[in-house]
Amino acid sequence: MAFTKRNILLYFRDKTSVFFSMLAVIILIGLYVFFLGDVTSKGLPDFPSKKSLLHSWFLAGVLAITSMTTTLGAFGILVEDRANKRYMDFYASPISRAKLVGGYIISALFIGFVMCLLTLLAANLFFISIGESQTTLSDMLLLTGVIVLSVLSSSAMVLFVVSFFKTSNAFAAASTVLGTLLGFLAGIYIPIGTLPDYLQTIVKLFPVSHSASLFRQILMESPMLDAFAQAPSDMKESFQLGMGVHYRVDGVLIQSLWSVYYLIGTTILFSCLSLILMRKKV
């Protein structure tokens, strides 16, 4: 726990690290405010609660991306320690290698959870300030559960990727590329319904897209009731599939429980692969 505390303090004391771990989210918010929001809105027909629906849709994507970028930034401490040979000092201490790896993992999980929760609270304050309904307590509990699941899955994937890097420059380059791709994988830059079939298949394979789907199902439930109250059911389903609220694989509509199992499965898979790689690396 002392090593975990050390990693958490290093992350939050380095304001540059915190900024760059949120850079993809900041850029995404800027693009949505000045460009993407209008483009997405114009691509949809007018219906009640349209603005509220799009805001909830966007927030869901932001939460999914934040769970990965913040854990990626947290694991940057591991790469820096490896690049500067600090692990040699750790080996001279009475801390076992398993505890060292555990300290990196627990600190990344904590940082990812806290940053996602702060993002959700900030979004709620924004919704209140513009006169939109805030998230209910029951929805907040559900969202907290999805945040935990999303952070677990993202941290497992990130640890697997990070285990291959030995220099800070390589890690920074990979972080930039991943941060750029996440907007597409979460279906925010371009809604999944407008992508070709083969790209839709790629998006559906990435766990972050399933995190975004679960967030959307919770955040968009109330606005969708207002928006499609008088509309045919097939119109609502078409909207959900086009905006990535639900996914369809081989003609079968994917339910939320399947996405939960998929995130749990990827967490277990990448955790095992990561621990196998990390046994000899740090």
Side-chain angles (χ1 to χ4, degrees):
M1 295 309 298
F3 191 67
T4 298
K5 181 180 178 181
R6 172 255 185 191
N7 295 333
I8 293 172
L9 291 176
L10 282 177
Y11 175 84
F12 284 108
R13 283 176 180 173
D14 187 353
K15 301 300 187 295
T16 303
S17 176
V18 176
F19 173 77
F20 278 104
S21 67
M22 295 294 291
L23 182 59
V25 174
I26 295 171
I27 292 174
L28 186 60
I29 293 173
L31 289 174
Y32 182 80
V33 171
F34 295 107
F35 174 68
L36 290 177
D38 289 337
V39 171
T40 305
S41 180
K42 290 178 181 178
L44 296 172
D46 290 329
F47 47 75
S49 303
K50 180 179 179 180
K51 186 177 180 181
S52 177
L53 195 62
L54 288 179
H55 284 163
S56 300
W57 172 80
F58 176 72
L59 172 59
V62 167
L63 287 172
I65 290 175
T66 302
S67 69
M68 180 159 284
T69 59
T70 53
T71 52
L72 183 64
F75 278 123
I77 298 172
L78 185 154
V79 177
E80 187 177 346
D81 287 344
R82 182 186 296 168
N84 295 326
K85 308 294 183 183
R86 293 195 186 106
Y87 63 89
M88 300 300 292
D89 296 329
F90 300 146
Y91 289 163
S93 67
I95 304 176
S96 66
R97 182 173 296 183
K99 290 182 179 179
L100 288 175
V101 175
Y104 287 120
I105 295 174
I106 295 173
S107 60
L109 292 174
F110 177 83
I111 290 168
F113 177 76
V114 169
M115 296 300 284
C116 283
L117 202 58
L118 289 175
T119 301
L120 178 59
L121 294 175
N124 265 292
L125 292 176
F126 169 74
F127 287 158
I128 294 172
S129 67
I130 62 175
E132 293 187 11
S133 59
Q134 60 180 324
T135 308
T136 63
L137 179 59
S138 60
D139 284 346
M140 284 292 289
L141 293 175
L142 289 173
L143 289 169
T144 301
V146 177
I147 286 174
V148 171
L149 189 58
S150 182
V151 169
L152 284 170
S153 176
S154 295
S155 62
M157 288 186 63
V158 168
L159 181 59
F160 176 74
V161 173
V162 163
S163 62
F164 292 99
F165 295 110
K166 296 181 179 180
T167 65
S168 299
N169 289 337
F171 173 76
S175 299
T176 302
V177 173
L178 184 58
T180 303
L181 289 176
L182 283 175
F184 292 98
L185 297 177
I188 299 179
Y189 292 150
I190 303 175
I192 188 173
T194 62
L195 296 174
D197 290 341
Y198 73 95
L199 286 180
Q200 289 190 29
T201 301
I202 293 174
V203 170
K204 293 171 187 176
L205 288 174
F206 279 86
V208 67
S209 64
H210 289 271
S211 296
S213 173
L214 291 173
F215 283 126
R216 286 169 184 151
Q217 290 172 40
I218 299 170
L219 288 167
M220 297 173 66
E221 182 179 10
S222 179
M224 277 196 295
L225 289 176
D226 295 334
F228 297 98
Q230 306 299 325
S233 59
D234 58 340
M235 182 180 295
K236 180 180 178 180
E237 181 177 320
S238 177
F239 173 83
Q240 290 176 326
L241 292 173
M243 299 299 287
V245 181
H246 290 286
Y247 299 126
R248 178 172 283 166
V249 178
D250 292 333
V252 179
L253 188 67
I254 299 300
Q255 300 298 324
S256 57
L257 190 59
W258 195 95
S259 292
V260 170
Y261 289 150
Y262 189 78
L263 290 174
I264 292 174
T266 54
T267 300
I268 295 172
L269 173 63
F270 283 103
S271 294
C272 293
L273 293 175
S274 301
L275 292 177
I276 291 172
L277 289 173
M278 294 297 294
R279 283 180 63 185
K280 295 184 178 180
K281 294 193 175 183
V282 173

